[in-house]
Amino acid sequence: MSFEDLPADWPHRPLTDPDFVHDVLDLCVSDADRREGGLAFLALRPDLTLAQPTFVAGELPRLERHTLVRNLVQALSHAEPDARFVVGIAHRHSALTDADREVHQVVLEVCAEQGADVLSTHLVTASGVTALPGPLRRRRAA
């Protein structure tokens, strides 16, 4: 499946299946967005269906990443106290870069501090969509 043949009921499906998430990100992040780079935040409803796609175009300046991501998370989660997101890091390169890893870490840190849940994070390029690893789960001491 690709965004060109999403099922008619796709807006009513939860973004829990990895292949489906990739197709939705493929739809929400245009080729131009991938060439320019940026950050896609898909805000989800409580049933994990897509509520609002948002795209911030351009490279996130390193020194301002926490602030920019925090403002975005706060704005998107204002109406939803238990905010959940699918995140896409878009750029023209086909391989994961150190900058992508840094942005991914910032997203995880900011969402954790804001009480928002990141369902999944993905690299979105002209070559396709690839899932990135989620946050490490800490074990509780016995």
Side-chain angles (χ1 to χ4, degrees):
M1 188 177 348
S2 76
F3 79 89
E4 295 171 337
D5 60 359
L6 281 168
D9 68 342
W10 76 265
H12 305 288
R13 290 187 181 194
L15 294 177
T16 53
D17 175 80
D19 291 332
F20 182 60
V21 171
H22 289 179
D23 294 338
V24 172
L25 278 165
D26 201 28
L27 173 68
C28 292
V29 182
S30 71
D31 289 338
D33 292 336
R34 296 170 205 219
R35 283 190 300 274
E36 183 173 353
L39 192 60
F41 261 75
L42 306 184
L44 307 179
R45 294 181 182 94
D47 65 358
L48 304 180
T49 59
L50 179 62
Q52 178 65 49
T54 302
F55 190 80
V56 178
E59 186 176 331
L60 299 179
R62 188 173 196 186
L63 295 176
E64 299 171 17
R65 287 179 183 156
H66 277 85
T67 301
L68 291 169
V69 172
R70 187 177 298 108
N71 290 343
L72 183 60
V73 169
Q74 288 174 345
L76 291 172
S77 60
H78 180 71
E80 187 60 51
D82 295 323
R84 293 187 174 136
F85 300 102
V86 168
V87 179
I89 300 168
H91 66 72
R92 66 178 149 269
H93 310 293
S94 60
L96 185 68
T97 66
D98 288 342
D100 299 331
R101 287 184 185 94
E102 290 174 13
V103 170
H104 182 211
Q105 187 61 37
V106 167
V107 166
L108 295 174
E109 288 171 5
V110 168
C111 286
E113 99 185 6
Q114 296 294 314
D117 187 24
V118 179
L119 249 55
S120 56
T121 306
H122 307 264
L123 183 63
V124 184
T125 70
S127 301
V129 181
T130 306
L132 300 178
L136 295 175
R137 305 285 184 217
R138 293 195 171 135
R139 289 189 206 182
R140 293 185 180 186

